[in-house]
């Protein structure tokens, strides 16, 4: 492989860099150039043109270097054998990474650096990972672009809250019921959209998501409207509550049963393991389904609906099961959300949630389970770590998203692994690919 | 075995099939030839109910299948290889074949798989490759193999020679003949490559403007002056 240097006309180089600098100027002037400061009860506008100047100069020089350096890079896609080898290595690397991630997740609460804050953030992240895995069934595997996934999340949360508050049922009974109700809602909403595809499906599901939210907002007698539902019972450790009870003789709380000092952290850790379990169940269920005829039918339908029909796949049932199963996992995550927060309101189930979950699936590379984890970590943790950047937090976040999509337009882990192999690969001989 | 009686198909305002009568008997290879836009593909697809016949009846084994949904028709032993192959390009060859076994509920998958691999040894070598990375000829073999995984009694083929090199066309046609003779699968073949199709088939139909204009033994059609003038001369 030889790197050929393609010479660049210096005038073009400067023109390109100047254009980038101009763009930076247009963007930076309102974003960085002006700043409102509170000055004794009223807002005053201050300017920071020096910052703008530094930024624009940085962009100009950076672009100059980037374009010049890129003339030395080999043209993309030059070496397929190399790409294949990289892909092979990547897949092994990714598997090792997944194993390490799982180990980290299992041990997290006992690691020296973990605190209540760390566990709380990790729990929040796991909710999104579970939602991402649930939506991955619908969008990634079955190829049905669903912009209203939050409806099922809300359905699960409200089902759990209402069942627990009105009928005083325990968490372990409410959880499957919440999943069931959300799954049924998925099937009911799935029926009218069966014939739709792509953009049209996206618009209608977006509408459904909003309808559910507006119902929750207005059905005051049942859902409490904008006030939401509060006092949702916390989960118990299989009947043992996390409470600071000090009964001498009978065991009535978790810390007594295990002979521990009472600590508020127990419940946080328990919730963490609970969502970890739920998320892993979602993952294993999906991995298993992918190897069954139903999973293959989903993927076939995503690849080519006409060919799938000609092979005897029933598109109606196949799509409905995808909607139903995806919604069930969304509902389970919703029930967990409700019991963790203790309070829910329609505020938590806006379109932004749907968009975030969809972004996780798309960013991860449609259909990739590990991709979902990586993307969720980026999307949820990046703003969290970025708190120190204050007002630039969302700017950095947006820039990161743009960079990722420019670098990997088909998602972080876009390679689909085959679900099964008939014969073990021969490690000595080169397997033909 | 399969018979169409006065079948009309409408694509919105377009009257694509104008009363087609046709029959395929067990063990036969029957071909349907005709110019572009004559309605050949529409006819083939309407057997599987997409698009559905607006008027007329489709009978299979004496049963009226006109109004059945596609997957029910395919479950009754009819398989279709759609025009342009339409393989699942992001799925592996093996996964493509297994999707083909959908119509079977019990399924002796392993046995069916070996049968298809015996017919198309290249597919066995490339079973873990993604479908989209196969060559045109291999993709056509995959499409046929995939349809055979459902153990059909009748195989509907839509232009299997499309976009293939002459040598590969020859090979595909030999395989179709082998499927018919050795596995007792009845074949209904839509082709633009009239010469090859008529040499392979026992009987043929000629279609123009949504109607069957000629029917008969392949040999007779090959010798027919009008057929020669319209589809064969200069075209071979």
């Amino acid at each position: 492989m030889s790197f050929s240097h393609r010479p660049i006309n210096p005038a073009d180089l400067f023109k390109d860099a100047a254009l980038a600098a101009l763009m930076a100027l247009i963007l930076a002037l309102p974003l960085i150039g002006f700043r409102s400061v509170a000055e004794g009860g009223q807002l005053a506008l201050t300017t920071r043109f020096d910052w703008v100047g530094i930024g624009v100069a940085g962009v100009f020089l950076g672009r100059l270097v980037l374009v010049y350096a890129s003339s030395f890079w080999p043209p993309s896609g030059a070496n397929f054998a190399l790409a294949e080898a990289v892909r092979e290595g990547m897949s092994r690397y990714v598997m090792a990474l997944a194993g390490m991630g799982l180990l980290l997740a299992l041990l997290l609460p006992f690691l020296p650096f973990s605190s209540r804050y760390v566990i709380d953030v990790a729990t929040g992240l796991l909710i999104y990972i579970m939602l991402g895995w649930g939506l991955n069934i619908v969008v990634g595997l079955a190829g049905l672009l669903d912009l209203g996934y939050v409806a099922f999340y809300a359905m699960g949360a409200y089902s759990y809250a209402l069942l627990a508050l009105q009928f005083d049922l325990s968490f372990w009974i409410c959880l499957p019921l919440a999943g069931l109700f959300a799954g049924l809602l998925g099937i009911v909403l799935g029926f009218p959209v069966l014939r739709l595809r792509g953009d049209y499906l996206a618009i209608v599901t977006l509408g459904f998501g909003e309808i559910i939210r507006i119902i929750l907002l207005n059905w005051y007698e049942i859902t409490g409207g904008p006030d939401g539902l509060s006092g949702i019972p916390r989960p118990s450790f299989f009947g043992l509550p996390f409470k600071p009870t000090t009964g001498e003789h009978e065991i009535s709380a978790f810390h007594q049963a295990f002979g521990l000092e009472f600590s508020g952290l127990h419940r946080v850790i328990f919730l963490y393991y609970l969502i970890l379990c739920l998320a892993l169940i979602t993952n294993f269920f999906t991995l298993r389904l992918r190897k069954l005829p139903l999973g293959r039918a989903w993927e076939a339908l995503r690849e080519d609906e006409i060919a799938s029909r000609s092979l005897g796949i029933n598109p109606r049932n196949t799509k409905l099961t995808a909607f139903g199963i995806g919604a069930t996992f969304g509902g389970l995550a919703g029930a967990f959300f409700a019991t963790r927060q203790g309070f829910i309101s329609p505020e938590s189930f806006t379109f932004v949630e749907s968009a975030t979950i969809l972004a996780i699936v798309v960013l991860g590379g449609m259909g990739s389970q590990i991709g979902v984890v990586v993307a969720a970590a980026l999307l949820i943790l990046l703003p969290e770590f970025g708190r120190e950047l204050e007002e630039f937090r969302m700017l950095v976040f947006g820039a990161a998203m743009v960079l990722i999509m420019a670098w990997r337009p088909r998602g972080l882990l876009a390679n689909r692994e085959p679900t099964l192999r008939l014969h073990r690969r021969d490690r000595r001989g080169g397997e033909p690919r | 075995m399969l018979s169409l009686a006065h079948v009309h198909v409408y694509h919105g305002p377009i009257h694509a099939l104008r009363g087609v009568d046709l029959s395929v008997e067990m063990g036969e290879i029957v071909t349907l030839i005709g110019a572009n836009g004559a309605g050949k593909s529409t006819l083939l697809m309407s057997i599987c109910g997409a698009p559905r016949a607006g008027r007329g009846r489709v009978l299979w084994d004496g049963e009226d299948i006109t109004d059945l949904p596609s997957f029910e028709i395919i479950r009754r032993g009819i398989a279709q290889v759609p025009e342009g192959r339409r393989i699942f390009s992001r799925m592996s060859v093996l996964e493509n074949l297994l999707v083909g076994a959908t119509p079977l509920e019990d399924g002796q998958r392993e046995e069916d798989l070996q049968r298809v691999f015996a017919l198309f040894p290249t597919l066995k070598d490339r079973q873990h490759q993604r479908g989209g990375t196969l060559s045109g000829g291999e993709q056509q073999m995959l499409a046929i193999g995939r349809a055979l995984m459902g153990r059909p009694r009748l195989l509907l083929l839509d232009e299997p020679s499309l976009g293939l090199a002459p040598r590969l066309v020859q090979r595909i046609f030999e395989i179709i003949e082998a499927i018919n003779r050795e596995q007792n699968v009845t074949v209904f073949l839509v082709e633009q490559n009239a010469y090859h199709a008529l040499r392979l088939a026992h009987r043929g139909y000629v279609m123009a403007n949504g109607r069957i204009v000629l029917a008969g033994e392949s040999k007779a059609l090959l010798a027919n002056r009008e057929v020669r003038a319209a589809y064969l001369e200069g075209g071979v």
Side-chain angles (χ1 to χ4, degrees):
Chain A
M1 203 161 58
S2 66
F3 297 124
S4 60
H5 170 50
R6 288 158 297 157
I8 295 182
N9 183 0
D12 285 345
L13 192 65
F14 277 95
K15 216 160 77 184
D16 185 80
L19 202 65
L22 182 69
M23 288 295 282
L25 182 68
I26 294 170
L27 282 172
L29 209 55
L31 284 171
I32 302 173
F34 297 97
R35 188 169 194 228
S36 57
V37 211
E39 242 171 45
Q42 58 181 8
L43 283 175
L45 206 61
T46 60
T47 56
R48 297 188 291 189
F49 292 132
D50 45 343
W51 286 40
V52 175
I54 293 167
V56 169
V59 168
F60 181 80
L61 286 176
R63 182 74 196 171
L64 218 58
V65 171
L66 184 73
V67 173
Y68 185 67
S70 73
S71 69
F72 289 98
W73 293 337
S76 60
N79 194 327
F80 283 112
L82 183 72
E84 250 340 285
V86 168
R87 207 161 69 95
E88 272 293 283
M90 275 280 283
S91 111
R92 225 167 285 151
Y93 180 64
V94 164
M95 284 318 290
L97 211 66
M100 266 150 60
L102 184 63
L103 198 68
L104 177 72
L106 284 171
L107 296 177
L108 181 77
F110 305 108
L111 293 178
F113 63 82
S114 86
S115 60
R116 185 178 171 132
Y117 171 72
V118 169
I119 299 173
D120 264 338
V121 170
T123 308
L125 171 63
L126 278 168
I127 294 181
Y128 279 97
I129 290 178
M130 179 167 176
L131 287 169
W133 277 337
L135 186 63
N136 207 6
I137 296 175
V138 185
V139 179
L141 293 184
L144 304 164
L145 188 53
D146 184 352
L147 283 183
Y149 192 61
V150 77
F152 310 124
Y153 187 38
M155 183 70 179
Y158 273 84
S159 302
Y160 170 72
L162 290 170
L163 284 169
L165 288 169
Q166 307 284 340
F167 302 104
D168 206 22
L169 294 171
S170 91
F171 175 77
W172 297 103
I173 297 172
C174 293
L175 183 72
L177 283 177
L180 182 72
F181 288 155
L184 287 177
L185 182 73
I187 292 171
V188 170
L189 293 189
F191 256 110
V193 299
L194 279 174
R195 295 168 148 269
L196 302 177
R197 232 171 287 167
D199 332 9
Y200 302 98
L201 179 71
I203 293 167
V204 175
T205 51
L206 173 66
F208 277 140
E210 284 300 286
I211 289 170
I212 297 293
R213 191 178 63 85
I214 289 166
I215 289 174
L216 294 177
L217 210 49
N218 289 287
W219 199 4
Y220 196 85
E221 301 78 51
I222 304 288
T223 65
D227 303 341
L229 296 167
S230 54
I232 301 166
R234 300 317 193 98
S236 55
F237 187 83
F238 304 99
L240 295 168
F242 295 94
K243 269 193 302 200
T245 342
T246 48
E248 284 292 316
H249 302 293
E250 52 189 330
I251 290 166
S252 59
F254 173 79
H255 65 282
Q256 290 171 320
F258 290 85
L260 297 167
E261 196 70 13
F262 174 77
S263 159
L265 207 57
H266 289 161
R267 189 176 65 214
V268 179
I269 293 175
F270 173 67
L271 283 172
Y272 172 78
Y273 278 117
L274 183 60
I275 186 68
L276 184 62
C277 265
L278 286 173
L280 287 179
I281 289 171
T282 313
N283 183 31
F284 288 132
F285 197 81
T286 311
L287 289 180
R288 187 87 198 95
L289 268 174
R290 271 192 65 193
K291 293 183 182 157
L292 296 178
L294 178 62
R296 277 197 294 272
W298 285 340
E299 293 202 70
L301 215 53
R302 175 195 69 198
E303 296 287 299
D304 192 325
E305 182 154 350
I306 293 175
S308 305
R309 280 174 194 271
S310 81
L311 293 171
I313 288 172
N314 179 343
R316 186 190 61 204
N317 290 359
T318 310
K319 286 183 185 177
L320 281 183
T321 46
F323 261 113
I325 292 173
T328 304
F329 288 121
L332 292 175
F336 174 82
F337 176 76
T339 191
R340 177 190 181 221
Q341 301 295 75
F343 166 76
I344 49 170
S345 76
E347 289 276 293
S348 312
F349 308 105
T350 54
F351 171 65
V352 177
E353 294 296 312
S354 288
T356 307
I357 304 163
L358 187 67
I360 288 172
V361 173
V362 174
L363 199 62
M366 308 257 267
S368 165
Q369 294 291 94
I370 298 169
V372 164
V373 179
V374 179
L378 268 176
L379 247 66
I380 306 303
L381 297 187
L382 208 57
E384 203 65 41
F385 286 136
R387 281 193 194 282
E388 286 154 32
L389 298 174
E390 292 173 32
E391 72 250 59
F392 299 115
R393 188 154 74 108
M394 281 303 154
L395 193 67
V396 170
F397 182 64
M401 293 299 105
V402 171
L403 283 178
I404 290 168
M405 280 343 258
W407 171 54
R408 308 224 66 172
R410 291 173 62 202
L412 291 169
L413 296 167
N415 281 315
R416 183 187 167 283
E417 279 294 303
T419 55
L420 75 176
R421 296 178 178 278
L422 269 193
H423 311 291
R424 285 218 146 266
R425 280 164 157 245
D426 192 330
R427 280 192 183 270
R428 286 158 300 152
E431 167 98 359
R433 282 189 65 95
Chain B
M1 192 176 188
L2 175 79
S3 69
L4 280 72
H6 317 299
V7 167
H8 292 255
V9 169
Y10 305 85
H11 286 305
I14 300 160
H15 197 168
L17 295 188
R18 300 157 184 259
V20 171
D21 291 281
L22 180 151
S23 73
V24 179
E25 297 306 325
M26 187 132 99
E28 273 187 316
I29 300 179
V30 177
T31 184
L32 178 68
I33 58 175
N36 255 338
K40 305 187 300 288
S41 291
T42 305
L43 171 60
L44 195 82
M45 309 250 297
S46 71
I47 294 171
C48 288
R52 208 165 285 291
R55 269 191 285 157
R57 298 281 100 190
V58 182
L59 296 180
W60 167 246
D61 270 352
E63 184 190 6
D64 187 344
I65 57 167
T66 323
D67 297 320
L68 286 180
S70 298
F71 66 92
E72 285 287 351
I73 295 171
I74 283 147
R75 197 165 290 172
R76 281 165 171 68
I78 300 179
Q80 194 187 14
V81 180
E83 188 176 359
R85 313 187 265 268
R86 291 185 170 273
I87 56 151
F88 306 121
S89 53
R90 282 182 67 193
M91 297 169 79
S92 72
V93 169
L94 183 59
E95 286 166 336
N96 265 276
L97 291 174
L98 289 175
V99 172
T102 307
L104 304 175
E105 261 147 32
D106 52 336
Q108 304 155 314
R109 305 253 159 85
E110 193 54 46
E111 197 187 304
D112 293 324
L113 213 51
Q114 292 314 325
R115 201 159 46 91
V116 169
F117 283 156
L119 208 55
F120 304 106
T122 26
L123 294 186
K124 186 170 187 174
D125 296 338
R126 296 177 184 273
Q127 53 180 305
H128 299 308
Q129 219 168 304
R130 279 199 262 173
T133 62
L134 298 183
S135 73
E138 288 163 347
Q139 288 193 8
Q140 187 61 58
M141 293 178 192
L142 178 56
I144 295 173
R146 190 175 65 177
L148 288 176
M149 286 296 288
R151 257 182 273 154
R153 284 180 291 147
L154 171 65
L155 185 63
L156 307 175
L157 293 159
D158 198 347
E159 302 228 15
S161 73
L162 193 74
L164 298 185
R167 203 159 49 88
L168 271 172
V169 173
Q170 192 64 48
R171 172 99 185 87
I172 293 282
F173 276 57
E174 281 165 17
I175 289 167
I176 294 169
E177 196 172 12
I179 292 168
N180 172 256
R181 213 182 28 233
E182 288 156 25
Q183 313 201 358
N184 277 323
V185 177
T186 310
V187 174
F188 183 56
L189 172 72
V190 162
E191 258 303 336
Q192 287 217 42
N193 195 331
Y195 176 72
H196 275 113
L198 285 174
R199 290 237 316 200
L200 171 75
H202 306 118
R203 286 192 302 123
Y205 291 89
V206 182
M207 196 167 202
N209 295 322
R211 288 195 182 85
I212 301 286
V213 290
L214 257 177
E217 297 283 319
S218 295
K219 286 203 185 85
L221 287 177
L222 269 173
N224 184 299
R225 198 138 45 88
E226 286 168 55
V227 173
R228 291 191 75 89
Y231 305 110
L232 298 177
E233 315 254 282
V236 185

